[in-house]
Amino acid sequence: METEIIQRFLESVGSKADVDLYLKLFRAQKKESFAIIAAGDPIIKHALDPVHFDLRILAGLGLTPVLLLGLYEGREADRQAVRVKEWLVEDAVPAQIVSCGPDVSVATLDTVRAAISGGAIPLVSLEAAKDVTPEGRFRLLATMACALETRKIVYLSRRAGLEAQDGKPLSDVNLATDYDALLANGTLSRRQASLLRHVKQLLDNVPHRMSVAVVNPLHLLRELFTVSGAGTLIRRGSRIDRYPNLDQLDHPRLTALIESAFGKRLSPTFFLEPVDRVYVEEGYRGAALLRATPVGVYLTKFAVERAAQGEGIGTELWSAMTRDFPSFFWRARPDNAIGPWYVKHCDGMVRVGEWHVFWRGLGVSEIEPAIRHALSAPVDFLPSTPVAS
Ligand SMILES: CC(C)(COP(=O)(O)OP(=O)(O)OC[C@H]1O[C@@H](n2cnc3c(N)ncnc32)[C@H](O)[C@@H]1OP(=O)(O)O)[C@@H](O)C(=O)NCCC(=O)NCCS
């Protein structure tokens, strides 16, 4: 497929900035670490067309996922692999069938790696492991993901993602905070609850950074190439650390994080301004900085490094912040993409010139002084010094 057609299709899936960002990220990784896509029997039977289209686009972009067949039910996996291969080969997309037994052998991994480095999509069949329990097959997947240092596992589903019983898909599941509640209150169907348990087991067994997406093949490319994603993104969840000021923080790391998030250079006076509460994601991938002012608590920075945006870290910081602070206010540029999300999470907002000012939990008499404060706060970035994302 021609590169230009592929690029145009991807831009219809998400914004050009998002697509370019993810392409850059995926291409910067080791080729074999891109993704493992697990497609079950019903997907191959009823949704092979979109899967095939997704794989063609990815191959056209030089991205080579591993397609895993037989993760839940191994009996038909060899035949499914042959079927997928026939479809791909017809469109001149190179693919190679790889059989995986009850252990992921060195030979299997070598074959997968060789296929990928030769530009062929490995179609890994677990039929030879069909007598292993589903738990065992998820362990095989974990072993493979560890060896390839896979960054994303995609579980293709006929549904939109993990769905609550009202049929609404859950966009983000943080295992650290949501797992017990999701299993305890019968939110998920029996099948999806079992998938969630297996995903937890998988993420617990993989030491490197990896996420799992449950997505319909029709939305796979949107999941991979947009910040907002599609389907359900399941993450191990991060620890959010709290600090009373900036003193104990690693200033260069915090600077790098904020500059990457905003794409601008911080003013050298930034660390001289007082800050009264800081929330930092354990790996310095996100931070929120709050300042106590005479008119209330001001959220002065809310940032997640560019490469990690859309993974839910912002939401985790937000929950930590809102648990501790019932009221605060903040501002954003009108063209900031996060605006609609702020609207959902504020009690009120006002548009004034080049700023939107938002607040939560303020009394009526506190709103006007807070707006004035937000509008007069200094800009913490140097003018026209963009930072490459
Ligand atoms: C704003 C920011 C901190 C959010 O952090 P994040 O980790 O990306 O946020 P999450 O992944 O938790 O997503 C939170 C919501 O924002 C949405 N969102 C995040 N980035 C988005 C973007 N670029 N475009 C559209 N929506 C976006 C997500 O879809 C999600 O919405 P949902 O809950 O309705 O699905 C982060 O995007 C960022 O650092 N942006 C640049 C700096 C910035 O503008 N900071 C705020 C200045 S006021």
Side-chain angles (χ1 to χ4, degrees), residues 18 171-172 227-229 258 260-262 287 301-306 308-317 330-333 336-338 341-342 344-345:
D18 277 13
S171 70
D172 187 73
V227 170
S228 46
I258 296 175
S260 143
F262 286 87
K301 284 288 162 290
F302 182 42
V304 169
E305 75 172 16
R306 188 70 174 104
Q309 286 175 16
E311 288 183 12
I313 295 172
T315 305
E316 288 176 43
L317 289 163
W330 69 102
R331 70 181 183 186
R333 299 281 184 194
N336 194 319
I338 199 68
W341 189 77
Y342 280 162
K344 275 197 273 173
H345 289 81

Side-chain angles (χ1 to χ4, degrees), residues 179-195:
Y179 181 72
D180 291 338
L182 277 174
L183 291 184
N185 59 17
T187 308
L188 301 172
S189 68
R190 208 166 46 84
R191 214 183 150 74
Q192 291 209 327
S194 147
L195 175 61

Side-chain angles (χ1 to χ4, degrees), residues 115-269:
I116 292 175
S117 65
I121 297 179
L123 309 172
V124 177
S125 162
L126 293 182
E127 181 150 345
K130 66 175 186 299
D131 297 329
V132 175
T133 59
E135 283 72 26
R137 282 199 293 274
F138 269 86
R139 264 196 296 278
L140 294 181
L141 170 56
T143 307
M144 203 176 290
C146 287
L148 302 176
E149 290 180 43
T150 305
R151 300 302 300 272
K152 189 153 212 156
I153 305 273
V154 177
Y155 184 89
L156 294 178
S157 162
R158 293 181 73 189
R159 301 204 195 181
L162 291 186
E163 289 174 357
Q165 266 168 0
D166 59 5
K168 271 202 192 145
L170 307 166
S171 70
D172 187 73
V173 171
N174 174 344
L175 292 176
T177 53
D178 306 336
Y179 181 72
D180 291 338
L182 277 174
L183 291 184
N185 59 17
T187 308
L188 301 172
S189 68
R190 208 166 46 84
R191 214 183 150 74
Q192 291 209 327
S194 147
L195 175 61
L196 185 63
R197 274 193 207 96
H198 286 132
V199 168
K200 176 160 185 340
Q201 174 203 330
L202 178 65
L203 288 172
D204 285 347
N205 281 306
V206 174
H208 64 269
R209 205 174 125 207
M210 183 176 90
S211 61
V212 177
V214 181
V215 68
N216 187 290
L218 288 170
H219 302 137
L220 172 64
L221 297 172
R222 196 145 61 80
E223 168 59 34
L224 291 173
F225 290 100
T226 64
V227 170
S228 46
T232 305
L233 182 69
I234 309 173
R235 297 172 308 111
R236 230 180 260 129
S238 321
R239 194 186 71 230
I240 304 291
D241 296 322
R242 289 173 172 72
Y243 295 90
N245 51 47
L246 291 170
D247 297 352
Q248 296 161 45
L249 284 148
D250 183 330
H251 289 197
R253 280 180 94 188
L254 188 60
T255 303
L257 149 64
I258 296 175
E259 292 187 343
S260 143
F262 286 87
K264 293 181 210 161
R265 291 246 172 264
L266 264 182
S267 141
T269 56

